[in-house]
Amino acid sequence: MAHVPALATGAVRRRASTSWMAIYDPLISRWPSSRVRFAGSKLAAASSALAMSISKHARRESAWAVRKAHSSDEVLGREDRDCGDSDWSWRSPRLQSLGLLLLACVANQACRALPFYLVDFGDGKAGQAMNQDLDFNSADYGFFATLCFSVPFTLTSLWAGVMADRMDRFQLTAFAGVAWSLSTAGMAVASSYGGLLLLRVALGLSQAATNPAALSLIAELFPDARATANSIFGLGIYLGGALASLGAFVDEQEGWRAACLVFGFFSVAASLPALTKRDEKQAPVRRSTWPADDMDLQTRLASLPEAAATVWESSTEAVAPTGARWLLLASALRFSAGFAILVWLPSSVRATFPNDVEQFAIVNSLIKGFAGSISSISGGLAADALRSRGFGDRSAAWFCAASSILSAPLWYFTLADGFSFEVCMGFLCAEYLVAESWLGAAISALQGAVPADRRGTAQGVFSSLTALGQALPVGLGLLAPEDLTQGLQLSVSVCYCLSGLCFLIASSHLSQEVPQDER
């Protein structure tokens, strides 16, 4: 019975149109005429109870009617809350939920990337470079920015993925947001490098919950346009990165400690609104958490090894399909390229263009915010368009492969010798427009490759790949300062090419058609 709502939604969509625009018309209008006509054709078969429900929920009549005709009373009790699954208006509950999740993602990414803009391995001024105030070098920074975050993030991501399939995902997102906000604000009072490391660990532990909770929920809220909705959520990466880039501007004006306090405060404000929503998509039977609430502390600790084994088993089973594993490998390579750029580009620009630091903070923020956002949305729309044309989930892998391969030369020229600051920023903008279109499509392909009830767990595995992605930035930190720019240039280009190859291999193992229950 779990597939009945999707079948009903698919029937409406096929009856309205099977054209390319069938997915995107909701972005412009709500198809009022087609929905009413379909509801009218089923009205004779509906009961008097349905008529009362239609009167009470006039805006939802067509979706309710389809579910009444094809669902049992038990399914109707749940799906009555979920009607309007093709609604893209601002008053749509599912779009409001997406907005809250996006807001939390922006805060997540801004706090994660903020320290990258608060270091200076040149002649930084006191109070404006945390590495000089707390006395750590570039190798220490490489560890702090990467492994110190990614190892706890990876371990917790597997756990968070399982928990996202069992509890209220809005609450999980909000509580995690408060934790990472406090960690960010706490950096403002750090007095040593060791204290900074502990706060970075806490940041990694808390931020791991966001993606598994949010993306598994989005897959259920937007079965008609997964890639597009994932891409909208993915805007948080670019908007958050843009805000983090402005941290360099705050640092220049007020110092790095003030920047940490400001970002921590606004991150709390962005995370708490998620508590206004309830996870109605999550079945009550799956809300049980581990360990059980009635366990005492000794029993909880004794059951840790068994629980860890269960999490590992669930994670491996969720990504057992061959296509899913190739997608994960391709994504790990893309993460490697992305994290290397995120961690080392600011310091490379500082070293190459020391007189353009404030200009870079603003330009980079605009590139991340606008070029990254445009690329992300365009990638999701394109992947859903190909999918609606009957190419299935493999079309998303094709798209990711093209994005990866085309990004390699653009990135190489971004750091080429002899170019002015303006030319380098131009290539960086072009690279963002091409490269950052992959995430929504890749997540959509992964969601299609794994069982629906394991999507949260699979997303936890996907998020845990940041550990592999952090290996490249760590390695680059071991290079001599004069070799760093060239190493960043070459290694990222190679990662792009290898990722494109893995996406192509993954496409051969993915579905060639859109599943019947998602049309």
Side-chain angles (χ1 to χ4, degrees):
M1 297 301 296
H3 297 290
V4 170
L7 284 167
T9 304
V12 174
R13 190 175 298 110
R14 291 197 303 276
R15 196 174 184 92
S17 172
T18 57
S19 67
W20 180 88
M21 291 299 294
I23 289 179
Y24 304 107
D25 284 348
L27 294 172
I28 304 172
S29 66
R30 297 184 59 197
W31 306 343
S33 59
S34 62
R35 291 167 65 102
V36 172
R37 284 198 300 272
F38 188 78
S41 68
K42 295 295 181 180
L43 191 57
S47 64
S48 58
L50 176 59
M52 294 178 62
S53 178
I54 293 174
S55 175
K56 183 178 179 180
H57 305 283
R59 295 175 59 85
R60 304 177 175 181
E61 57 185 6
S62 59
W64 216 102
V66 172
R67 286 168 174 78
K68 183 65 179 179
H70 295 83
S71 306
S72 67
D73 291 339
E74 179 181 356
V75 173
L76 281 173
R78 182 182 176 191
E79 292 304 317
D80 180 39
R81 300 190 299 267
D82 301 334
C83 48
D85 276 355
S86 294
D87 188 0
W88 284 84
S89 72
W90 288 110
R91 288 178 291 183
S92 166
R94 71 172 187 167
L95 203 61
Q96 293 172 5
S97 297
L98 179 59
L100 292 177
L101 295 174
L102 171 59
L103 191 61
C105 183
V106 170
N108 180 301
Q109 295 296 321
C111 291
R112 183 183 308 188
L114 176 63
F116 308 153
Y117 299 92
L118 305 181
V119 296
D120 186 352
F121 296 100
D123 298 324
K125 301 177 182 177
Q128 293 182 347
M130 63 165 55
N131 59 297
Q132 297 197 16
D133 285 358
L134 301 182
D135 192 26
F136 59 90
N137 57 31
S138 60
D140 295 330
Y141 166 69
F143 176 76
F144 161 77
T146 57
L147 292 180
C148 189
F149 173 88
S150 64
V151 171
F153 182 88
T154 298
L155 297 177
T156 312
S157 290
L158 296 176
W159 200 287
V162 174
M163 300 310 294
D165 285 332
R166 299 183 181 181
M167 64 179 295
D168 189 300
R169 289 165 285 191
F170 287 110
Q171 291 185 6
L172 183 60
T173 299
F175 293 144
V178 172
W180 79 61
S181 300
L182 293 176
S183 298
T184 301
M187 291 193 299
V189 296
S191 58
S192 65
Y193 175 69
L196 204 63
L197 291 182
L198 290 177
L199 290 168
R200 188 68 173 172
V201 169
L203 190 80
L205 291 172
S206 54
Q207 290 199 337
T210 303
N211 284 349
L215 289 169
S216 61
L217 184 57
I218 288 171
E220 297 175 9
L221 291 171
F222 296 87
D224 54 323
R226 287 201 311 258
T228 301
N230 288 335
S231 296
I232 293 174
F233 176 77
L235 292 178
I237 297 174
Y238 312 106
L239 298 177
L243 289 176
S245 182
L246 293 178
F249 183 81
V250 178
D251 182 18
E252 289 288 324
Q253 301 298 318
E254 302 294 336
W256 66 271
R257 295 184 186 274
C260 293
L261 283 175
V262 169
F263 274 71
F265 173 79
F266 283 106
S267 179
V268 169
S271 302
L272 287 178
L275 290 175
T276 63
K277 288 287 185 178
R278 189 164 65 92
D279 187 0
E280 296 182 342
K281 287 283 184 180
Q282 194 73 283
V285 70
R286 295 165 65 194
R287 286 185 183 168
S288 61
T289 59
W290 184 93
D293 293 335
D294 57 353
M295 282 188 181
D296 57 33
L297 179 59
Q298 183 177 359
T299 305
R300 290 171 189 247
L301 294 176
S303 62
L304 274 175
E306 180 181 355
T310 301
V311 169
W312 177 259
E313 181 180 357
S314 298
S315 300
T316 54
E317 289 178 356
V319 297
T322 303
R325 297 192 175 190
W326 277 106
L327 285 170
L328 292 173
L329 178 58
S331 299
L333 290 166
R334 284 302 301 261
F335 281 135
S336 296
F339 281 122
I341 294 172
L342 184 66
V343 172
W344 289 111
L345 178 62
S347 59
S348 295
V349 171
R350 281 180 181 267
T352 308
F353 304 103
N355 297 324
D356 297 301
V357 174
E358 290 190 20
Q359 185 179 356
F360 170 72
I362 297 173
V363 172
N364 189 49
S365 176
L366 293 174
I367 290 175
K368 285 178 176 290
F370 288 97
S373 297
I374 291 171
S375 180
S376 178
I377 292 294
S378 299
L381 292 172
D384 277 335
L386 292 171
R387 193 167 183 268
S388 69
R389 282 290 185 88
F391 292 105
D393 289 315
R394 64 167 46 186
S395 62
W398 291 339
F399 184 86
C400 292
S403 170
S404 299
I405 293 171
L406 292 174
S407 298
L410 291 173
W411 171 254
Y412 185 86
F413 287 116
T414 296
L415 296 179
D417 291 334
F419 287 156
S420 66
F421 173 78
E422 290 75 16
V423 172
C424 287
M425 293 300 100
F427 274 112
L428 181 64
C429 182
E431 190 267 346
Y432 261 84
L433 286 171
V434 175
E436 302 308 318
S437 59
W438 77 283
L439 186 60
I443 293 173
S444 177
L446 180 64
Q447 290 168 343
V450 301
D453 61 345
R454 296 295 183 89
R455 284 172 176 164
T457 303
Q459 187 58 50
V461 177
F462 184 88
S463 297
S464 71
L465 294 177
T466 53
L468 295 176
Q470 299 283 0
L472 179 57
V474 171
L476 289 172
L478 301 177
L479 295 177
E482 60 270 17
D483 297 328
L484 179 60
T485 299
Q486 186 176 11
L488 180 63
Q489 178 187 36
L490 293 175
S491 60
V492 169
S493 299
V494 170
C495 283
Y496 276 143
C497 292
L498 292 177
S499 176
L501 178 61
C502 291
F503 275 123
L504 286 176
I505 297 174
S507 68
S508 64
H509 297 282
L510 299 178
S511 172
Q512 301 184 45
E513 298 179 355
V514 180
Q516 192 75 10
D517 61 349
E518 293 186 11
R519 291 182 180 176

